[in-house]
Amino acid sequence: MDRRLIFLLTVAQRRVQRLVATQSPKGVTATQAGLLFVLGRRDGVLLGEAGAALDLGMPGISGLVERTVEAGLIEKRADPDDGRAWRLWLTPPGRRALARAKAGAAELNARLMEGFTDVEIDIVARWLASVQKKFPKGENE
């Protein structure tokens, strides 16, 4: 068995990203779909909270939000309690794109798990989560 984990992880990530890019709902990038997933769990989230949920810094989330607003998928509104803060809300087209993205993600997740037991998938998920803990955001940036 090939145990070159860095190589295997990198190749797997590239292949999944390519597949996701070709299967994303029309006019929605994979990164935008990620933002829609965040808002689908909690509409009206603060811009910084959305960035944290997606592991993006402020420049990255700001650009993503602007592109997603321009695409008509979300709205950005000033926080009523803090005029310096922004909250993000799904638009009706954003909700429709989210539904399509959810269906695509469910299909892809099923394909990724095909041929593996629940126990094996739990181990893979635990290993991937451990990578985030071992190499926290901000380390060596």
Side-chain angles (χ1 to χ4, degrees), residues 32 66-75 90-95:
Q32 287 173 327
E66 292 310 314
R67 290 187 301 277
T68 311
V69 166
E70 288 172 17
L73 302 171
I74 66 169
E75 291 178 355
L90 287 167
T91 62
R95 289 186 191 289

Side-chain angles (χ1 to χ4, degrees), residues 77-135:
R77 302 181 205 155
D79 185 306
D81 300 323
D82 181 355
R84 300 167 299 164
W86 294 96
R87 292 197 174 270
L88 308 175
W89 302 88
L90 287 167
T91 62
R95 289 186 191 289
R96 291 189 293 275
L98 173 59
R100 291 189 304 274
K102 279 183 178 180
E107 269 182 43
L108 180 54
N109 272 315
R111 189 169 169 192
L112 288 168
M113 291 187 281
E114 193 174 285
F116 294 91
T117 67
D118 286 344
V119 170
E120 290 170 323
I121 294 299
D122 287 346
I123 291 168
V124 171
R126 185 172 64 85
W127 182 80
L128 290 170
S130 81
V131 172
Q132 295 174 46
K133 290 180 185 131
K134 290 173 187 167
F135 305 100

Side-chain angles (χ1 to χ4, degrees), residues 24-55:
S24 289
K26 187 175 181 187
V28 179
T29 68
T31 309
Q32 287 173 327
L35 179 56
L36 299 180
F37 277 107
V38 170
L39 297 178
R41 284 191 298 275
R42 188 171 140 229
D43 214 5
V45 71
L46 287 166
L47 188 123
E49 293 171 336
L54 294 171
D55 200 31

